[in-house]
Amino acid sequence: MALHNDWFVSGWEHVLPRQALALTMLMGTAAQPGFTGSLDDLLQEVCDGHWDMIGGDLDGALTFTWHGEEWDYEEAPEGREACEANRWKKFAAMLRAAGYPVPTTVRDLADLYLTWGLARRHETPQGTRWAMPTVLPLPGDLLPLDTELTQRLDEIRRIMRTGPLVDHLIDDLGEPQEFLTSLDRLAGATGQDVNDLRLALAELVQSHDAKILRGQEPAGPERLEPHHRFRLIMDWAHFHETRIEFGPAGDEAQRTTAQAPRAASTPPLRPAD
């Protein structure tokens, strides 16, 4: 099963019901070369038509919580049913405000994916073909998100964009105060695309964690050619003051700037007993 590289960065998992992750994996797999058919056909092919993670099949009901999991009453003292009802109330209001129908099944959500452009489907002489865009539309481009959720998704994207670059600067280079480099060099060191690195550098500059100089003049990341040499000057004191680090007690803290997944897979699917 294939998961779209942009899924976690886009933030859709924080907006849609739980089954959205599995649906995205199913669509991502359907979009791979060589597959032709419906999502039902693919579900039948890979797991005999039943996948617990997606709620059984495409007609399974959408939920915001997994009914089999132990409930954390400290985190959500209102209980599972009240929490589920509240999530549905907010979700339904958001979709209705944007003029979209409220999905109740995975199949309904799949139709919304097509409407939103998260996936595309077209008929060929060989049968139905699926595709997904390289960059997914963002939830805030299609839905009226509240301020808290908007800020949360912005922060998640900022962390994921800067993660590989920051990891390189800290783990590989030992937090240099400044050094001479280029987008090409950083791409080779981090495995990132040059355009992703531009975004990461822009995030660091906008957060006042870094400055970029070409000669003695400030330079904007968007104007840098891949081969351009520039001096990256880091303010590590500011960086660490404005980042929250977390980790198990007694263990080395895990930075919130962890690299965004480039691809993901799920364990082999097994039909229900």
Side-chain angles (χ1 to χ4, degrees):
M1 294 293 259
L3 179 60
H4 195 288
N5 288 339
D6 206 35
W7 171 251
F8 293 107
V9 179
S10 68
W12 281 105
E13 66 168 335
H14 300 281
V15 176
L16 299 175
R18 286 285 185 93
Q19 290 80 5
L21 171 62
L23 175 60
T24 305
M25 294 174 69
L26 193 66
M27 285 185 163
T29 305
Q32 300 302 305
F35 177 76
T36 302
S38 67
L39 295 181
D40 294 282
D41 293 335
L42 180 59
L43 199 60
Q44 182 65 39
E45 179 179 323
V46 297
C47 54
D48 293 338
H50 187 101
W51 185 16
D52 286 341
M53 189 174 175
I54 210 167
D57 56 27
L58 296 181
D59 294 312
L62 296 171
T63 62
F64 282 95
T65 60
W66 295 122
H67 295 298
E69 68 182 354
E70 183 177 350
W71 191 254
D72 187 343
Y73 283 95
E74 290 187 5
E75 183 177 338
E78 70 273 25
R80 189 193 310 276
E81 291 185 3
C83 180
E84 182 83 11
N86 185 52
R87 293 289 303 275
W88 271 108
K89 181 179 178 180
K90 291 182 177 180
F91 181 61
M94 181 170 56
L95 264 69
R96 291 189 180 113
Y100 297 113
V102 180
T104 59
T105 67
V106 178
R107 195 179 302 278
D108 295 338
L109 185 58
D111 289 339
L112 277 178
Y113 271 40
L114 296 171
T115 300
W116 289 335
L118 271 70
R120 297 187 294 271
R121 179 181 62 194
H122 64 281
E123 299 301 325
T124 72
Q126 292 74 35
T128 303
R129 297 281 190 180
W130 295 83
M132 299 187 79
T134 302
V135 178
L136 297 178
L138 298 179
D141 294 339
L142 298 167
L143 300 172
L145 308 182
D146 61 39
T147 301
E148 180 182 355
L149 182 54
T150 297
Q151 292 175 344
R152 181 184 179 194
L153 297 187
D154 286 346
E155 178 67 8
I156 288 171
R157 281 191 286 272
R158 183 185 67 79
I159 289 171
M160 287 191 164
R161 282 176 184 148
T162 60
L165 175 58
V166 169
D167 286 350
H168 172 59
L169 296 178
I170 295 177
D171 298 335
D172 300 332
L173 302 183
E175 298 190 13
Q177 295 302 311
E178 61 178 85
F179 69 106
L180 190 65
T181 188
S182 68
L183 289 173
D184 278 342
R185 286 187 174 187
L186 290 175
T190 64
Q192 276 194 296
D193 179 84
V194 165
N195 290 325
D196 289 338
L197 280 167
R198 281 200 186 92
L199 291 173
L201 288 168
E203 295 281 0
L204 291 177
V205 171
Q206 290 168 10
S207 300
H208 306 292
D209 294 319
K211 295 179 182 178
I212 295 174
L213 298 181
R214 287 261 297 158
Q216 299 301 317
E217 298 297 322
E222 68 281 357
R223 296 181 179 275
L224 294 173
E225 294 295 331
H227 65 279
H228 280 169
R229 295 290 185 90
F230 61 88
R231 190 167 297 281
L232 182 63
I233 303 173
M234 295 294 300
D235 184 343
W236 289 109
H238 183 272
F239 177 89
H240 290 299
E241 286 172 1
T242 56
R243 297 299 193 281
I244 297 175
E245 296 187 348
F246 60 94
D251 292 342
E252 183 181 354
Q254 300 294 313
R255 289 192 304 278
T256 58
T257 49
Q259 182 173 353
R262 302 300 300 169
S265 61
T266 186
L269 306 181
R270 294 177 297 178
D273 295 332

